[in-house]
Amino acid sequence: MAAEQAAGNGLVVVACCKEKRVTSSPVPALDLYEGWVVPLVRDRVAAGSTERNRVLVLSARYGLVTADTPVSTYEQPMTEERASALSWTAPGVLRRHLARFPSTEALLLMEPRYARVLGPVPVARARLITDPMGRHGDIQAVLDSWSWP
């Protein structure tokens, strides 16, 4: 797909991480996480931007949420039991989000356990990167191909 066709058409789903801001009140989900590759994604999407509407966070505590969903600091590992519970709700949230913000491509930045929670992603092309810390260049290349800032 040509870059001009993909512009504004991608979806990023990034997994939560252990490193979080300590907050006294809820903050947007994408602003809570300080580790993994969340800062890289956050640096590419400004608050209120069209691209930010195309970012979802898969949280072990909150499930699949938009970048701007208010969340609070928590400790909740993605255990097999938690992944199983979230696998009942996350695919529906994903389908509803794609109905609102149609995308032909998705970039999934998460470990395999998180990816299993999502199940098959209903887009023409889904790219799963399970080791994103060493693949910043690949992530940037995908976002560049979508003409994200």
Side-chain angles (χ1 to χ4, degrees):
M1 174 174 284
E4 59 273 2
Q5 291 175 315
N9 215 12
L11 171 71
V12 173
V13 184
V14 64
C16 67
C17 63
K18 187 173 183 168
E19 299 82 20
K20 300 172 191 72
R21 294 169 69 188
V22 176
T23 63
S24 57
S25 59
V27 298
L30 195 62
D31 298 338
L32 179 68
Y33 305 99
E34 295 296 331
W36 191 240
V37 292
V38 177
L40 181 150
V41 173
R42 185 173 50 236
D43 288 348
R44 294 290 298 254
V45 294
S49 69
T50 301
E51 292 82 13
R52 192 162 168 118
N53 291 331
R54 295 181 170 282
V55 175
L56 297 174
V57 177
L58 182 52
S59 162
R61 165 69 54 88
Y62 295 103
L64 189 61
V65 297
T66 67
D68 290 320
T69 298
V71 297
S72 297
T73 303
Y74 65 91
E75 285 303 319
Q76 170 73 55
M78 183 63 86
T79 62
E80 285 296 333
E81 295 78 20
R82 187 67 186 141
S84 179
L86 292 175
S87 69
W88 287 96
T89 59
V93 172
L94 179 59
R95 283 191 305 276
R96 287 188 297 278
H97 187 81
L98 287 168
R100 186 168 178 207
F101 300 99
S103 297
T104 57
E105 296 186 47
L107 178 60
L108 312 174
L109 306 172
M110 59 192 61
E111 295 173 346
R113 182 176 289 169
Y114 285 79
R116 286 191 300 274
V117 167
L118 290 179
V121 178
V123 296
R125 182 172 185 194
R127 300 174 194 170
L128 173 62
I129 298 179
T130 60
D131 59 342
M133 293 307 292
R135 308 237 343 246
H136 284 201
D138 295 337
I139 296 166
Q140 298 284 16
V142 170
L143 299 178
D144 289 346
S145 77
W146 296 345
S147 299
W148 281 29

